[in-house]
Amino acid sequence: VDAAIKLIENPAISIEELMQFIKGPDFPTGGIILGRAGILNAYKTGRGQLKLRANVEIKEKRLIVTEIPYQVNKSLLIEGMADLVRDKRVEGISDIRDESDRKGMRIVIELKSNANPEVVLNQLYKHSQLQTTFGVINLALVAGQPKILVLKSLVNSYIKHRKRIVTRRTQFELSKAEDRAHILEGLKIALSNIDP
């Protein structure tokens, strides 16, 4: 922690150097962030836009989606892809199935025999929610006021907050322990004064 604090407090350290330790956001539904420019912009200015793309594997004449962008509804995604096929905006898809289970997400897109998987995938990225944009705002409460923070300020504020929390918790536990010790001292005196 001390090394991290010294690193953050060093005015000469750049955002790029900090990105060795703080890579980027980790979204709960997975997916892939395209490029580092959006992350870098969010860390430098407090605002940025990330392009998120689904994790898709090409196996034989199938596209297998195992992760989707954050805040994309899976059933609406499948419905939207089916609409694209029905409206002939995306050519080469014969079937779309949801094979998700307890082990994880799995959407299987069956391709026609004459379809090029890369072309179909690029059309899906362009026209469906397999690729989306996610806006980032590094908004935090600092001294009770909402502020948009750059990465260094964000980490500094977090460290100060954690120090306050740990100090307050330790003081509370110390106070409880002192109260308990006072009661035990009283009981010890009372036991020593009891007639046998």
Side-chain angles (χ1 to χ4, degrees):
V1 173
D2 291 334
I5 292 171
K6 285 179 186 173
L7 187 69
I8 293 294
E9 290 174 349
N10 182 358
I13 190 142
S14 69
I15 297 295
E16 289 83 359
E17 290 172 302
L18 280 176
M19 284 182 68
Q20 295 175 31
F21 306 101
I22 303 171
K23 303 288 185 194
D26 183 19
F27 294 102
T29 56
I32 301 164
I33 298 173
L34 297 179
R36 292 175 45 144
I39 299 170
L40 193 58
N41 200 26
Y43 285 170
K44 282 184 176 180
T45 65
R47 292 177 181 264
Q49 286 195 332
L50 308 177
K51 278 195 176 185
L52 299 176
R53 187 177 268 190
N55 191 5
V56 182
E57 299 172 31
I58 298 174
K59 289 189 178 175
E60 298 162 13
K61 284 294 184 176
R62 291 180 176 163
L63 301 176
I64 300 170
V65 181
T66 54
E67 297 174 353
I68 59 174
Y70 184 57
Q71 291 185 336
V72 170
N73 183 308
K74 181 178 63 172
S75 58
L76 292 178
L77 171 67
I78 294 169
E79 193 176 302
M81 288 190 292
D83 289 343
L84 290 171
V85 172
R86 193 176 322 109
D87 297 341
K88 298 188 192 247
R89 289 182 68 194
V90 175
E91 300 281 332
I93 296 177
S94 62
D95 188 30
I96 301 172
R97 290 188 314 275
D98 182 7
E99 296 181 356
S100 302
D101 58 12
R102 275 189 246 143
K103 294 176 186 168
M105 181 181 347
R106 182 178 162 95
I107 300 169
V108 178
I109 302 166
E110 296 280 348
L111 303 178
K112 294 178 181 174
S113 60
N114 62 347
N116 182 339
E118 284 85 12
V119 171
V120 174
L121 182 57
N122 285 333
Q123 287 177 337
L124 287 173
Y125 283 144
K126 182 177 179 181
H127 297 295
S128 74
Q129 285 191 312
L130 283 182
Q131 180 172 310
T132 62
T133 303
F134 186 81
V136 176
I137 299 176
N138 293 333
L139 187 65
L141 286 175
V142 179
Q145 298 291 321
K147 291 187 179 179
I148 295 175
L149 303 174
V150 297
L151 180 64
K152 282 178 149 184
S153 301
L154 193 67
V155 173
N156 258 336
S157 295
Y158 177 74
I159 291 170
K160 287 177 186 173
H161 169 73
R162 289 303 302 159
K163 280 183 177 178
R164 261 193 322 273
I165 295 297
V166 170
T167 302
R168 285 173 39 196
R169 182 178 57 219
T170 306
Q171 287 171 342
F172 174 76
E173 289 172 356
L174 176 63
S175 175
K176 272 178 53 177
E178 286 173 343
D179 290 346
R180 179 78 177 138
H182 182 70
I183 290 170
L184 291 175
E185 284 294 324
L187 290 172
K188 184 177 167 187
I189 292 169
L191 278 175
S192 65
N193 290 332
I194 293 178
D195 294 328

